[in-house]
Amino acid sequence: MSAGSGLLPKAELHCHLDGSVGPALARKLAARHGLDLSALIDADGKYIWQGFQEFLLAYDRVSETIRTPEDQHDVALDYLRGAA
């Protein structure tokens, strides 16, 4: 970053780890626990929802895949790798 660019470094001060789960990791966690998220993820590997209510339902369904310490580890590691 150049001194005159006007951009400032950013820091994430608050993150809901369950909200950071991307579609690929959600599929992995769902498979680990025998859950079906096919209605939430399209063929291109992107989340599907329309409107805030559907987003909240998808958020809840994905959050249900985080059940064990191993799941929590995988979510945290995935987030930290992306943030690094």
Side-chain angles (χ1 to χ4, degrees), residues 3-39:
S5 69
L7 298 176
L8 297 174
K10 305 292 187 276
E12 181 140 16
L13 302 177
H14 180 96
C15 176
H16 292 254
L17 285 177
D18 47 350
S20 74
V21 177
L25 181 56
R27 280 184 174 156
K28 176 183 172 182
L29 297 174
R32 182 180 291 167
H33 299 295
L35 302 172
D36 180 17
L37 297 183
S38 61

Side-chain angles (χ1 to χ4, degrees), residues 17 25 28-29 32 66 68-81:
L17 285 177
L25 181 56
K28 176 183 172 182
L29 297 174
R32 182 180 291 167
I66 307 168
T68 67
E70 179 184 13
D71 300 338
Q72 293 172 349
H73 172 269
D74 290 349
V75 171
L77 186 61
D78 187 65
Y79 169 76
L80 292 170
R81 282 183 177 148

Side-chain angles (χ1 to χ4, degrees), residues 53-73:
Q53 288 300 321
E54 285 188 24
F55 163 77
L56 291 176
L57 291 173
Y59 185 97
D60 287 345
R61 290 281 295 141
V62 171
S63 294
E64 291 171 5
T65 67
I66 307 168
R67 297 180 172 192
T68 67
E70 179 184 13
D71 300 338
Q72 293 172 349
H73 172 269

